[in-house]
Structure formats: structure tokens, C-alpha cells
């Protein structure tokens, strides 16, 4: 890994720790500095580490991080109409679609473990249905957008699970754990937003989110191999 990539990843981790601390302490002014830095630093580290020239995988991953950054920015603000939240939801929805496309595009001579046992995906669907059931009475006019978002994140997680047995175990597990953490982060954000606010929500949402993105990036780097 190039020195520039190491510096970018180290700066990302430092910014993530600082942002989580600011979340814990309630320092929203500090978060105005740290949160917008997270995805750009991760993008720089990935871009410097990934093989050149950039193919579809590198472009999909970078685009996913970019739309996550836009979502991060919008979710920092609130308005009475909820337009910032809806905009952030749309940007993160785009990120999940891009990650679905990435996972769907992987090729291997090995057969996915979950292709042999498709009923295991029922667990993902059951989780999504249960989450929507819990949130349903509190969603109001957001019912349709949240249903769509729930279906997309369940597909993203399923596609990540599909990598097991298809790619190397280490690569697949990086993708799977990253996707699981992303879904966990989104779920906690939804519960805090719509059902019941809990004091540690911001810390838990950001901790799982930044680790999710970092693991997905590491999974992609293992999948593609080192830069030449």
C-alpha cells in the first residue's frame, strides 16, 4: 500500500474517532468539521490503493462512497418539512444500489454457498419485515419511502451474503460484515428517528456506519488486488 493511502486511511480513522467522540459529547460544531471529512478521506485511501486503470468495480465503490458523503452532509441538518432527511435517504439509497451492482458483478468459478441454500435469505427478509412492523405505526407519510429503502438494504445484504463461497473467505467476510453493520446502522437510525429516541443513538449509528464503509472498502481492495 502506498504511503499516501496509509496516510488517508489513518486520517479517516482519526476523523471517525473524533466524530464519534463529538457525537458522544454532543458537540455538533465539532461534527461540522469531522463528519464531512470521513467519506472523502476513505475515497482518497481507496483510490490510491485500488488497481489502475479504474474499471467498473472501482467506479461503483467510489460512487457509493460519494453518495454516502452527500447523505452524510444532508443528515447533519434538519428542517420542518424533513427535506434534508428525505434527500439523505435518497443518497444512501443510491449508495446501496451501487453496492448491489458491485456485488452482482463479481465473477467466480466457485458456487456461492447461499446459492445452494436460498432459503437462508428468508432470514434477511424476515428481519426487514420485522423492522418495518416495528416502525409502521410511527412512519406517517414516510411509509412508502421507508418500505422501498428497507427492501433495497435487504437486497444489498443478501448480495453481500452471496459472495460467501464465491470469493475468497476473507474477502467475502469483509463484504458480509460491512453490509451487516451498514444495515445495523440504518436500522438504529430509523428506530431513533421514527419510533423512540435513545441517548446513545448517534454514537452507535456512526460507529457501525464508519466501520461498515471501511470494511467494504477493504473487501473491495482484497477482491481487486493491490495497485500496480
Amino acid at each position: 500500500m502506498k504511503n499516501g493511502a496509509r496516510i488517508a486511511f489513518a486520517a479517516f480513522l482519526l476523523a471517525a474517532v473524533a466524530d464519534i467522540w463529538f457525537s458522544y459529547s454532543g458537540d455538533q460544531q465539532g461534527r461540522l468539521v469531522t463528519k464531512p471529512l470521513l467519506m472523502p478521506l476513505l475515497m482518497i485511501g481507496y483510490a490510491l490503493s485500488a488497481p489502475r486503470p479504474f474499471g467498473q468495480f472501482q467506479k461503483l465503490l467510489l460512487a457509493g462512497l460519494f453518495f454516502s458523503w452527500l447523505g452524510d452532509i444532508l443528515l447533519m441538518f434538519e428542517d420542518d418539512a424533513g427535506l434534508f432527511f428525505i434527500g439523505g435517504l435518497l443518497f444512501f439509497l443510491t449508495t446501496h444500489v451501487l453496492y448491489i451492482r458491485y456485488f452482482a458483478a463479481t465473477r467466480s468459478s466457485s458456487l456461492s454457498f447461499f446459492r445452494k441454500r436460498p432459503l437462508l435469505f428468508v432470514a434477511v427478509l424476515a428481519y426487514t419485515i420485522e423492522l418495518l412492523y416495528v416502525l409502521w405505526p410511527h412512519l406517517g407519510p414516510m411509509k412508502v419511502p421507508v418500505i422501498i429503502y428497507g427492501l433495497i438494504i435487504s437486497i444489498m445484504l443478501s448480495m453481500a451474503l452471496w459472495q460467501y463461497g464465491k470469493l475468497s473467505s476473507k474477502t467475502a467476510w469483509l463484504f458480509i460484515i460491512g453490509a451487516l453493520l451498514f444495515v445495523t446502522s440504518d436500522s438504529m437510525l430509523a428506530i431513533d428517528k421514527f419510533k423512540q429516541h435513545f441517548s446513545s443513538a448517534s454514537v452507535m449509528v456512526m460507529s457501525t456506519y464508519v466501520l461498515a464503509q471501511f470494511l467494504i472498502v477493504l473487501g473491495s481492495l482484497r477482491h481487486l488486488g493491490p495497485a500496480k
Side-chain angles (χ1 to χ4, degrees), residues 154-228:
S154 67
I155 293 171
M156 189 277 293
L157 177 55
S158 297
M159 293 303 296
L161 291 168
W162 196 267
Q163 307 310 306
Y164 188 76
K166 187 178 180 184
L167 304 179
S168 72
S169 293
K170 289 183 178 179
T171 301
W173 276 116
L174 286 169
F175 282 143
I176 290 167
I177 296 172
L180 280 168
L181 288 171
F182 212 148
V183 170
T184 301
S185 179
D186 283 345
S187 300
M188 290 189 293
L189 178 63
I191 291 169
D192 179 68
K193 174 74 175 177
F194 296 112
K195 188 177 188 295
Q196 183 176 357
H197 174 69
F198 54 102
S199 59
S200 59
S202 183
V203 172
M204 294 174 68
V205 167
M206 286 307 299
S207 299
T208 49
Y209 168 67
V210 294
L211 185 55
Q213 294 280 35
F214 187 57
L215 291 178
I216 290 171
V217 162
L218 292 183
S220 179
L221 292 176
R222 282 193 62 88
H223 169 226
L224 299 174
K228 303 298 184 182

Side-chain angles (χ1 to χ4, degrees), residues 32-216:
L32 290 174
V33 177
T34 55
K35 194 175 181 183
L37 289 175
L38 295 172
M39 292 305 106
L41 289 171
L42 197 53
M43 290 171 68
I44 292 169
Y46 179 79
L48 292 175
S49 304
R52 304 291 182 92
F54 285 174
Q56 67 167 332
F57 292 112
Q58 293 94 322
K59 292 175 183 177
L60 286 169
L61 200 287
L62 286 169
L65 295 174
F66 175 73
F67 280 103
S68 293
W69 176 67
L70 294 178
D72 285 343
I73 298 298
L74 288 189
L75 291 183
M76 292 172 65
F77 305 99
E78 294 184 6
D79 62 291
D80 293 337
L83 295 178
F84 286 118
F85 181 80
I86 293 171
L89 197 72
L90 287 172
F91 285 134
F92 278 112
L93 184 72
T94 304
T95 291
H96 288 303
V97 170
L98 289 164
Y99 287 172
I100 288 169
R101 289 185 59 191
Y102 185 111
F103 296 143
T106 60
R107 295 289 179 267
S108 173
S109 58
S110 301
L111 192 64
S112 168
F113 176 82
F114 290 92
R115 187 174 179 181
K116 303 173 188 176
R117 298 163 179 82
L119 286 178
L120 291 173
F121 288 117
V122 172
V124 178
L125 182 59
Y127 173 79
T128 304
I129 292 172
E130 178 64 21
L131 179 63
L132 291 173
Y133 176 79
V134 169
L135 296 175
W136 191 259
H138 313 279
L139 293 177
M142 290 294 292
K143 283 185 172 66
V144 172
V146 172
I147 287 174
I148 294 171
Y149 195 88
L151 290 174
I152 292 297
I153 65 170
S154 67
I155 293 171
M156 189 277 293
L157 177 55
S158 297
M159 293 303 296
L161 291 168
W162 196 267
Q163 307 310 306
Y164 188 76
K166 187 178 180 184
L167 304 179
S168 72
S169 293
K170 289 183 178 179
T171 301
W173 276 116
L174 286 169
F175 282 143
I176 290 167
I177 296 172
L180 280 168
L181 288 171
F182 212 148
V183 170
T184 301
S185 179
D186 283 345
S187 300
M188 290 189 293
L189 178 63
I191 291 169
D192 179 68
K193 174 74 175 177
F194 296 112
K195 188 177 188 295
Q196 183 176 357
H197 174 69
F198 54 102
S199 59
S200 59
S202 183
V203 172
M204 294 174 68
V205 167
M206 286 307 299
S207 299
T208 49
Y209 168 67
V210 294
L211 185 55
Q213 294 280 35
F214 187 57
L215 291 178
I216 290 171

Side-chain angles (χ1 to χ4, degrees), residues 1-15:
M1 185 181 293
K2 298 178 181 178
N3 287 333
R6 291 192 182 95
I7 293 170
F9 284 135
F12 164 77
L13 293 173
L14 286 173

